Amino acid sequence: MNFRLPHIPWKWWRRAAQLLCLFIFLWLFRKTESDGGPTIAFGANILFRLDPLVAASAVLAGVKLIAALWPALVTVALTLVLGRFFCGWICPLGTLLDITNHALPEKAAPPDRRWRVVKFFLLGLVLTSAVLGCQLIGYFDPFSILVRGMAIALDPWLNRAVTAPFTLIYQQAPESVSDITEAIYAFLKTRLLPFQQNSFAFSIVSFALLAAVFALELVERRFWCRNLCPTGALLGILSRFSLLRRFPARACGRCKAETDYTVRCRMGAFNERGLLQPESCNLCLDCLDDCPIDLPKFTFDKPKTAPAPFEPSRRLFLGSVVTGMALPLVSGAVHAARGLPADLIRPPGALPEPEFLDLCVRCGECMKVCTTNALQPVLLEAGLDGAFSPKFVGRIGYCEYNCTLCAQVCPTGAIALLPLSVKQKFIMGKAVFDKKLCIPFVKNESCITCEEHCPLPEKAIRFRDVELIHPVTKQRVIAKRPYIVWSLCTGCGICETKCPTEVKSAVHMFREEAIPAAVRNDAEIMDMVSQPAPPSSEPKPRANSDGY
Amino acid sequence: MKTTSVSAVAPIVTSNRRQFISRLTAWSAGLLAAPPIFQAFPQSLNAATAEPILSVGKGTDYEALLVKVFEPLGGIAPFVKKGARVVIKPNMSWDRKPELAANTHPLLVKAMARLCLQAGASKVMVFDRTCQDMRLCYASCGTPAAIESLNDPRVACTFVDDRKFVPVKIKKGKGIAEWEFYKDAVTADCYINMPIAKDHKLARLTLGLKNIMGILGGKRNALHPGTGDQSLNQKIADFNTVLTPTITVMDATRILLRNGPSGGKQDDVKELHTVFASADTVATDAYASTLFGLKPDELETTKAGFAMGLGQMDLNKVKVVKV
């Protein structure tokens, strides 16, 4: 008896790979969170380390080789063999777009091919700007857009949306009901939801970028991948040299007549003359399954004909280079006008400012992983190219003394991973008291909250006992008035987070170099406001910066 | 007649504006309602007695030591009834290792949980609202791992759930009238208070009465400033009128002499290998202050607790039993 294995269509293999990669990505995303231990074993940062655009722009902008980005070389090597398979088989954003497309009506019109070259323009622009020290990858890299959008918008929103109804039932319904719902909630809490409710400034901006990528699916299938994705463009250029080739390199007459492949191909890879653009094909292999005469093959044989001509023109690349050269000038406007804000503090271990912005790929993972929600996205206060980079906001959260997770998940080393004992002494900034807000100064009452929380064994906040008259009771009281031990303070910000004053904290973190010399004094309790501002001390001025 | 029957069948269709508004109000009431004020039991779990017993023990095997300390008190049985829902409230506030004396010793908490299980508790809950990130504090203090090693489904060391803080009226309060308490703590049949004796810049020492801060919700740091009745010490005594511990077990296996309550330096830690317990929290606090070379009346919190009738601070009137 003749026994044959059932034929499994190629698309099922591809879908399995896509779903597996998507699942791994989502699992890693969920695992990018503290479990109380000193290290994170798995992180979603592998996605960024696989991304050759991240590697290229960080290496060009930082002018140094980054060893942690070696997986990008694997992607490049595999692309030179297999073509742009990454986009069709691995990329989680591509998979999510494919899933979205299933829910949308099929497109009948052929794609508008004029959009096709935009991705090459963006690629040229990002890389040229990067060479000139202006890192724009946060606006255009697919994984920056995806991971950041999920981390700072979707994930906190999902947590809130799921938790709110359970809380309502828990608080208002009888126990017989809430016992059941709480069991469900406990399950979700441990498996699906983040540990705590976080919130991020301007999360709507990162969400809008991600939402736009999905909304474009209404216009064309895989609109982002076909037309806009600069990583796809880079892989596309490489795939023109790939060994694996589709044969024939064009849609045959029958296909053109019966099932217009310019419309049906997922990537719109066949141009108007029916020729396959190798830089567009993402090897989804739908055409192998769909062809009624089993004509197409993917082979390593040397192609008999030259591939279809490269779509973007030389002029387009020139334009992208010129634009990429102009943008660093524009982005310097904020620096020229005001310098860096005195309280724009970077995560612990962050490289000095220009270098930090060169290497940071705005992935949002440090913000996601920060246990106290202290790392927040910058909008425009650090310049056009500073957008979506992390800043430390002491009023929201603080830097945990025993935590190095932000550096652990940083894919490029923009936040250097320091040994814990070194990180514990790393100066992020310095705390400065505001006597007009601090309770022992205003009400002559002891408070000690800041000192109690100071994690340094030697205590960077200490007191002076001052005998005073209480403003209300008119009795003699001893108020413990705090001061900062300048030489010890690391700017971890826990005093600012925990300060019990309303709205504004009586102690605030500033960058060390932005604090006037007169305030840098252990013995005296000074506030920033009464001191003249120092000139801006940006280490490497990008444009004319004459004070702020 | 006909119209009423129609409206009974299809009320939505025939609703007028007034009906619509009343229905809308009814539907949205649940969404708008604040969590209800929780009624804490009027009498405390354990009323102050004339001459409380305080049992003190010393030893390096902390699990055996705890069992010994309970002997003069009649063992665990008077405190944990069969089937009781028990809360053990250690101090797990800081991301510090056990040897730094910022948190209650994990082995002591484990021994306490084991005693409760042996007494037939139906459920033993261990938690504390921490001052730093909960995950880090829980991992560093070692208590969750110690509780886990008991391997009993009745006991668990769980994270504090913010949704479970309920507003409670503090009827006897002099300095504060209402605050949020952790629901699991105030509804427990038995509340075991397990502080560690530490230095504190505002309360002078943080002991048994102050350990109640760990079941408070809201912005606790705002409780710090204040003078007279508004002082932290009075407010701590007020909180203890809502929930008076069934028993307080003081961890003085090592105490934090300076730079408390978070510490961080081995130099500031003094090893005493001492544990003491009493149903009277004020008495345990009074005794604890002597370990720091202080008299009980040098602590405003203890004095406030005594004044509120929470217990005995005169150690001459406390029956101290050394085991």
Side-chain angles (χ1 to χ4, degrees):
Chain A
M1 198 176 147
N2 209 352
F3 186 81
R4 283 186 62 191
L5 283 169
H7 172 69
I8 300 170
W10 280 103
K11 73 172 74 164
W12 290 108
W13 291 108
R14 175 187 37 84
R15 280 178 186 170
Q18 280 186 293
L19 287 175
L20 180 68
C21 290
L22 178 64
F23 178 79
I24 291 172
F25 164 68
L26 293 174
W27 183 76
L28 288 173
F29 181 81
R30 179 48 66 235
K31 283 280 168 193
T32 308
E33 186 170 77
S34 168
D35 63 356
T39 50
I40 281 195
F42 309 97
N45 73 14
I46 185 64
L47 203 51
F48 294 91
R49 297 170 61 203
L50 281 168
D51 181 348
L53 181 65
V54 161
S57 69
V59 166
L60 287 175
V63 205
K64 67 171 184 185
L65 289 173
I66 302 160
L69 297 178
W70 65 264
L73 292 177
V74 177
T75 311
V76 168
L78 284 173
T79 304
L80 286 172
V81 178
L82 299 172
R84 204 177 149 182
F85 78 105
F86 187 88
C87 308
W89 288 64
I90 294 177
C91 175
L93 183 60
T95 305
L96 288 168
L97 290 174
D98 281 344
I99 294 169
T100 308
N101 196 271
H102 272 282
L104 299 174
E106 269 196 45
K107 320 282 182 292
D112 184 348
R113 303 196 67 82
R114 285 173 301 176
W115 287 103
R116 204 52 63 97
V117 294
V118 175
K119 59 180 181 290
F120 297 106
F121 182 86
L122 294 178
L123 174 66
L125 181 147
V126 166
L127 294 182
T128 312
S129 288
V131 170
L132 297 173
C134 174
Q135 185 61 275
L136 297 172
I137 197 167
Y139 293 98
F140 304 116
D141 182 76
F143 305 133
S144 272
I145 293 172
L146 174 66
V147 175
R148 197 180 61 234
M150 285 172 66
I152 76 178
L154 293 179
D155 199 33
W157 295 352
L158 173 82
N159 187 45
R160 170 69 190 152
V162 173
T163 304
F166 283 106
T167 304
L168 185 70
I169 294 168
Y170 172 72
Q171 286 177 342
Q172 308 292 348
E175 258 180 43
S176 54
V177 179
S178 67
D179 279 353
I180 300 165
T181 56
E182 283 303 287
I184 299 168
Y185 179 69
F187 178 81
L188 293 175
K189 186 89 189 142
T190 48
R191 306 291 161 89
L192 186 71
L193 297 175
F195 178 77
Q196 65 192 8
Q197 181 66 56
N198 282 346
S199 175
F200 295 92
F202 302 109
S203 52
I204 192 82
V205 180
S206 288
F207 171 75
L209 269 176
L210 180 58
V213 169
F214 281 85
L216 286 169
E217 206 64 8
L218 287 164
V219 182
E220 243 177 58
R221 194 175 186 189
R222 288 255 196 168
F223 186 97
W224 165 261
C225 317
R226 292 176 178 188
N227 303 323
L228 301 179
C229 180
T231 300
L234 186 57
L235 294 173
I237 292 172
L238 293 172
S239 67
R240 289 188 66 85
F241 307 102
S242 71
L243 300 175
L244 188 67
R245 289 288 164 137
R246 184 185 187 272
F247 173 85
R250 57 165 66 237
C252 81
R254 179 173 171 159
C255 189
K256 269 157 90 179
E258 290 175 14
T259 53
D260 189 354
Y261 248 88
T262 56
V263 180
R264 283 208 55 189
C265 173
R266 172 183 311 266
M267 290 296 283
F270 294 92
N271 67 19
E272 50 278 84
R273 287 187 291 141
L275 290 173
L276 179 76
Q277 297 286 161
E279 67 270 21
S280 287
C281 173
N282 72 4
L283 286 97
C284 73
L285 306 187
D286 280 352
C287 51
L288 297 194
D289 295 331
D290 293 354
C291 180
I293 54 171
D294 279 344
L295 182 64
K297 284 193 279 291
F298 279 82
T299 70
F300 288 107
D301 299 343
K302 208 168 181 307
K304 295 183 187 79
T305 53
F310 197 35
E311 279 186 316
S313 61
R314 213 170 296 159
R315 198 174 290 173
L316 178 109
F317 271 111
L318 197 64
S320 77
V321 167
V322 170
T323 317
M325 286 164 70
L327 281 172
L329 298 174
V330 180
S331 76
V334 165
H335 297 277
R338 286 189 289 279
L340 212 56
D343 58 353
L344 198 151
I345 291 173
R346 297 300 187 183
L351 302 176
E353 184 61 11
E355 214 183 320
F356 174 74
L357 280 185
D358 288 344
L359 291 194
C360 171
V361 292
R362 324 300 197 251
C363 64
E365 294 207 44
C366 54
M367 300 184 238
K368 172 167 195 328
V369 88
C370 179
T371 57
T372 64
N373 203 194
L375 295 181
Q376 295 278 325
V378 166
L379 201 58
L380 291 172
E381 59 265 39
L384 192 64
D385 56 329
F388 314 121
S389 63
K391 73 170 171 188
F392 171 83
V393 182
R395 194 49 168 159
I396 297 175
Y398 58 95
C399 180
E400 278 288 359
Y401 189 59
N402 293 331
C403 176
T404 58
L405 296 188
C406 56
Q408 288 180 37
V409 298
C410 181
T412 59
I415 308 171
L417 180 55
L418 306 171
L420 183 63
S421 58
V422 178
K423 180 256 150 184
Q424 286 172 339
K425 295 191 179 75
F426 184 88
I427 311 286
M428 299 164 65
K430 295 279 181 185
V432 177
F433 276 98
D434 185 344
K435 279 195 281 188
K436 289 188 225 45
L437 292 172
C438 182
I439 291 163
F441 289 92
V442 178
K443 292 185 174 173
N444 296 350
E445 289 170 357
S446 296
C447 170
I448 74 112
T449 303
C450 49
E451 186 267 358
E452 162 179 74
H453 286 87
C454 180
L456 300 173
E458 308 291 339
K459 297 286 175 191
I461 296 178
R462 294 177 193 169
F463 304 117
R464 206 166 282 110
D465 287 348
V466 188
E467 199 176 333
L468 298 155
I469 302 295
H470 191 272
V472 179
T473 64
K474 306 295 176 201
Q475 285 174 337
R476 298 189 84 77
V477 286
I478 301 221
K480 289 185 181 297
R481 288 183 159 176
Y483 64 92
I484 298 288
V485 182
W486 179 267
S487 51
L488 290 177
C489 178
T490 60
C492 80
I494 194 166
C495 47
E496 181 171 3
T497 314
K498 304 287 181 178
C499 178
T501 52
E502 296 296 329
V503 188
K504 212 178 150 192
S505 173
V507 56
H508 188 55
M509 303 302 121
F510 293 91
R511 282 185 297 119
E512 189 177 14
E513 67 271 19
I515 300 175
V519 182
R520 307 179 183 193
N521 193 333
D522 292 357
E524 284 302 316
I525 305 147
M526 309 294 280
D527 51 63
M528 281 284 276
V529 188
S530 58
Q531 299 300 318
S536 171
S537 48
E538 202 193 341
K540 188 181 96 183
R542 290 141 193 255
N544 173 33
S545 61
D546 31 26
Y548 69 92
Chain B
M1 277 307 272
K2 208 173 183 184
T3 45
T4 41
S5 72
V6 167
S7 74
V9 173
I12 304 293
V13 180
T14 58
S15 71
N16 59 27
R17 187 181 298 149
R18 184 176 298 181
Q19 285 170 320
F20 172 74
I21 288 171
S22 70
R23 249 181 236 129
L24 188 70
T25 314
W27 275 104
S28 55
L31 291 167
L32 300 172
I37 295 272
F38 190 81
Q39 289 298 322
F41 17 85
Q43 77 280 10
S44 55
L45 287 170
N46 183 48
T49 50
E51 199 191 5
I53 303 171
L54 184 129
S55 167
V56 190
K58 212 167 168 170
T60 47
D61 179 353
Y62 298 153
E63 298 204 35
L65 176 61
L66 189 75
V67 177
K68 228 165 62 180
V69 164
F70 264 91
E71 276 166 13
L73 304 168
I76 187 76
F79 306 101
V80 179
K81 303 276 182 292
K82 214 169 163 58
R85 288 159 53 88
V86 180
V87 163
I88 299 176
K89 160 59 181 85
N91 189 332
M92 301 191 280
S93 285
W94 304 98
D95 178 18
R96 299 281 195 213
K97 297 275 177 242
E99 58 270 20
L100 288 170
N103 304 311
T104 308
H105 201 290
L107 290 179
L108 220 47
V109 185
K110 180 184 172 185
M112 192 67 241
R114 180 179 279 152
L115 280 181
C116 296
L117 294 173
Q118 283 165 357
S122 64
K123 195 173 182 190
V124 181
M125 293 167 273
V126 184
F127 49 76
D128 184 22
R129 185 176 171 209
T130 58
C131 295
Q132 288 176 267
D133 181 80
M134 243 191 309
R135 293 163 284 192
L136 297 176
C137 292
Y138 271 48
S140 293
C141 77
T143 297
I147 292 294
E148 186 99 353
S149 71
L150 285 170
N151 206 11
D152 191 310
R154 292 174 293 164
V155 59
C157 182
T158 49
F159 288 126
V160 163
D161 182 345
D162 279 346
R163 310 170 312 143
K164 293 191 176 181
F165 287 103
V166 288
V168 174
K169 287 253 187 278
I170 306 166
K171 287 172 190 148
K172 294 188 209 155
K174 278 165 79 178
I176 193 149
E178 189 186 317
W179 199 264
E180 287 180 7
F181 281 69
Y182 202 57
K183 196 175 170 185
D184 287 351
V186 282
T187 53
D189 302 322
C190 169
Y191 178 79
I192 299 173
N193 188 24
M194 290 195 80
I196 169 169
K198 291 189 290 183
D199 168 70
H200 193 274
K201 292 282 177 356
L202 195 56
R204 186 60 196 86
L205 298 175
T206 162
L207 304 167
L209 291 170
K210 194 174 175 297
N211 197 33
I212 202 164
M213 299 285 278
I215 57 162
L216 300 184
K219 211 174 160 186
R220 292 182 296 181
N221 297 324
L223 296 166
H224 273 209
T227 184
D229 279 354
Q230 297 301 311
S231 70
L232 175 69
N233 300 310
Q234 179 58 48
K235 285 182 270 191
I236 286 171
D238 291 347
F239 293 133
N240 275 275
T241 63
V242 173
L243 181 55
T244 309
T246 319
I247 183 152
T248 295
V249 179
M250 182 73 70
D251 173 12
T253 56
R254 63 268 181 273
I255 61 174
L256 189 60
L257 298 175
R258 291 169 296 272
N259 289 319
S262 55
K265 238 189 323 179
Q266 209 61 55
D267 293 353
D268 295 339
V269 178
K270 186 178 173 190
E271 290 200 344
L272 294 178
H273 304 299
T274 302
V275 173
F276 48 97
S278 174
D280 184 328
T281 310
V282 180
T284 55
D285 284 9
Y287 189 83
S289 46
T290 64
L291 302 177
F292 291 81
L294 296 171
K295 293 195 199 77
D297 64 1
E298 285 181 81
L299 259 73
E300 295 299 325
T301 319
T302 315
K303 271 158 71 178
F306 176 68
M308 299 291 282
L310 292 168
Q312 183 55 262
M313 68 180 279
D314 184 353
L315 287 176
N316 294 322
K317 294 178 183 162
V318 176
K319 194 176 158 198
V320 178
V321 184
K322 302 212 172 177
V323 294

